[in-house]
């Protein structure tokens, strides 16, 4: 069954210099028990999608159009309080830089206990017991529930935020860059922990990260975003093993760990101008395949012959051929 179904989502921010078209016609859906990755470089609209679907956009942000169905219910039409209830009961959100957002003057355990007591009719002692359990689940010492945020390392604070998000056993966990800013070993541990918990709770995961290596390891499906547009999406095997979009290929090259070796190469050029809705391919200025056609319209996201694979590129065939050529070098 589909848990989350986003259709043609458009989000803008109003600024003194006009509108920023941060998310343009994004559609994807997440089934029950599925791990879904949202990838793309900084500014591609990842966090905006999460905030829009949760009703947490800042005051200058607005959903222009589109539908966000969670278990069949359109979240965009709910009142803030109805949305908050769903948020806590069904969807857990680990925001970007969550570990820095903990209240510095309250013990970490008390912050989680309060969240539990706000939503469940349980005694303080019972809620504290639950916090101890959660610390154990996320790999923190349950005897440290009275410690303050500053007494923990970055990785441990991130575990606290995960414990907080899990307190009410959500159906969907949305984690925005949960490993960014942590060292590599801690990153691996946090990812493993999220997966272990998510499997145990049988929940779905929306994992937002610019590190596609992490998505390759952990997710079933993904969308690759650029300039607020989905450039390629589908199963991880299709999209990351056999990419057909020049942007995905460029991203992949900048993450050598999912290739066999090779130096990381970042894609030259700067991100697109978001002051207007895209009238040309958003990637055209940085794309090696760009032609006059790419100036004329942004390509539609079209189904490719293999199941569960879509790409938006006027030159899908050329790009796929080049990938095949690169795989089988002439001798
Ligand atoms: P990162 O990887 O850096 O977290 P992201 O993919 O999450 O990036 P978003 O934060 O969603 O990207 O931003 C998408 C676009 O919207 C960017 O161009 C950003 O500058 C712009 N934007 C985000 N928040 C605001 C805001 N409050 N006001 C105006 N523009 C904003
Ligand atoms: Mg972000």
């Amino acid at each position: 069954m589909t848990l989350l179904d986003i259709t043609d989502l458009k989000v803008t921010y109003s600024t003194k210099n006009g509108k920023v078209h941060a998310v343009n016609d994004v559609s994807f859906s997440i089934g029950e028990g599925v791990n879904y990755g949202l990838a793309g470089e900084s500014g591609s609209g990842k966090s905006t999608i999460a905030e829009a679907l949760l009703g947490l956009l800042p005051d200058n942000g607005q959903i222009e159009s589109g539908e966000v169905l969670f278990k069949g219910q359109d979240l965009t039409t709910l009142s803030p309080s109805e949305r908050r209830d769903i948020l806590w009961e069904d969807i857990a959100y680990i925001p970007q830089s969550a570990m820095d957002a903990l209240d510095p003057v309250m013990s970490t355990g008390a912050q989680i206990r309060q969240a539990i007591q706000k939503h469940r009719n349980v005694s303080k002692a019972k809620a504290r017991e639950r916090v101890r359990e959660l610390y154990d689940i996320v790999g923190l010492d349950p005897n440290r529930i009275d410690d303050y945020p500053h007494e923990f390392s970055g990785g441990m604070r991130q575990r606290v935020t995960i414990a907080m998000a899990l307190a009410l056993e959500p159906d969907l966990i949305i984690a925005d860059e949960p490993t960014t800013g942590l060292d590599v070993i801690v990153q691996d541990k946090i990812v493993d922990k999220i997966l272990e918990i998510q499997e145990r709770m049988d929940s779905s995961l929306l994992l937002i990260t610019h590190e596609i290596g992490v998505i390759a390891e952990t997710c079933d499906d993904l969308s690759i975003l650029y300039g607020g547009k989905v450039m390629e999406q589908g199963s991880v095997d299709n999209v990351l093993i056999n990419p057909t979009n020049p942007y995905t290929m460029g991203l992949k090259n900048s993450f050598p760990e999912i290739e066999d070796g090779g130096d990381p190469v970042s894609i030259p050029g700067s991100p697109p101008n978001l002051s207007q809705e895209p009238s040309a391919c958003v990637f055209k200025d940085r794309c090696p395949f760009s032609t006059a056609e790419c100036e004329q319209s942004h390509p539609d996201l079209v189904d490719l012959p293999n199941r569960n694979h879509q790409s938006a590129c006027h030159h899908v065939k050329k790009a796929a051929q080049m990938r095949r050529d690169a795989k089988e070098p002439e001798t």
Side-chain angles (χ1 to χ4, degrees):
M1 203 188 80
T2 305
L3 199 59
L4 180 72
D5 202 0
I6 298 182
T7 311
D8 294 334
L9 183 66
K10 260 193 223 255
V11 185
T12 61
Y13 293 103
S14 304
T15 71
K16 61 181 190 324
N17 300 320
K19 279 193 173 177
V20 175
H21 293 263
V23 174
N24 299 298
D25 297 309
V26 166
S27 302
F28 64 91
S29 51
I30 305 180
E32 266 178 44
V34 166
N35 291 350
Y36 202 99
L38 214 50
E41 63 197 70
S42 186
S44 58
K46 305 181 298 293
S47 297
T48 302
I49 292 175
E51 288 167 14
L53 79 91
L54 294 164
L56 294 173
L57 285 171
D59 286 345
N60 69 329
Q62 53 274 321
I63 295 179
E64 298 279 345
S65 54
E67 208 177 48
V68 177
L69 298 180
F70 181 73
K71 295 184 176 172
Q73 186 174 28
D74 192 351
L75 294 184
T76 64
T77 59
L78 295 178
S79 72
S81 71
E82 288 169 325
R83 213 183 277 131
R84 257 196 315 273
D85 285 345
I86 293 213
L87 198 78
W88 273 99
E89 292 294 332
D90 289 339
I91 305 180
Y93 177 45
I94 305 169
Q96 196 163 359
S97 326
M99 58 186 160
D100 303 322
L102 293 169
D103 187 341
V105 298
M106 199 193 278
S107 77
T108 52
Q111 297 183 50
I112 303 178
R113 178 183 55 74
Q114 282 195 348
I116 295 173
Q117 285 193 286
K118 214 161 137 189
H119 296 271
R120 295 275 190 271
N121 189 15
V122 291
S123 66
K124 194 168 172 179
K126 267 251 152 54
R128 259 179 82 85
E129 196 42 48
R130 175 79 180 129
V131 177
R132 292 176 63 88
E133 259 171 51
L134 287 164
Y135 271 42
D136 193 39
I137 291 173
V138 300
L140 288 170
D141 179 355
N143 293 319
R144 297 193 60 183
I145 61 171
D146 293 323
D147 284 10
Y148 286 78
H150 72 267
E151 296 175 89
F152 287 121
S153 68
M156 288 157 96
R157 283 204 301 276
Q158 189 60 304
R159 285 170 195 258
V160 171
T161 64
I162 294 169
M164 174 124 67
L166 296 173
L168 302 176
E169 307 203 337
D171 293 331
L172 175 66
I173 302 170
I174 300 179
D176 192 351
E177 303 279 4
T179 59
T180 306
L182 301 173
D183 73 54
V184 178
I185 297 168
V186 180
Q187 277 188 4
D188 279 351
K189 285 193 183 149
I190 293 285
V191 168
D192 287 348
K193 207 63 199 176
I194 292 178
L195 287 178
E196 184 191 310
I197 291 164
Q198 178 246 346
E199 254 173 47
R200 187 157 133 180
M201 294 194 175
D202 202 20
S203 42
S204 301
L205 173 69
L206 176 59
L207 180 65
I208 299 177
T209 175
H210 62 277
E211 296 176 56
I212 55 174
V214 173
I215 291 182
E217 266 172 55
T218 54
C219 291
D220 304 291
D221 296 333
L222 86 165
S223 297
I224 307 263
L225 283 175
Y226 184 76
K229 278 278 186 191
V230 174
M231 301 303 284
E232 188 160 7
Q233 70 187 5
S235 71
V236 163
D237 287 353
N238 284 336
V239 176
L240 296 183
I241 314 263
N242 295 308
T244 62
N245 194 290
Y247 180 61
T248 315
M249 293 177 187
L251 260 193
K252 241 185 100 167
N253 284 337
S254 56
F255 292 91
E257 65 269 32
I258 64 166
E259 289 279 82
D260 300 324
D263 291 328
V265 204
S266 63
I267 309 171
S270 40
N273 178 351
L274 301 174
S275 64
Q276 282 169 10
E277 269 195 74
S279 58
C281 174
V282 286
F283 189 52
K284 72 172 174 32
D285 291 338
R286 298 167 77 183
C287 181
F289 300 99
S290 191
T291 61
E293 198 182 355
C294 311
E295 301 282 346
Q296 259 137 48
S297 61
H298 183 82
D300 290 336
L301 192 61
V302 294
D303 285 322
L304 299 172
N306 36 352
R307 244 186 88 247
N308 199 7
H309 194 180
Q310 296 176 302
S311 181
C313 176
H314 288 303
H315 300 300
V316 167
K317 287 202 179 109
K318 214 192 312 177
Q321 186 58 46
M322 193 176 114
R323 174 175 47 74
R324 280 196 294 273
D325 291 349
K327 261 193 186 164
E328 297 153 24
E330 285 172 46
T331 47

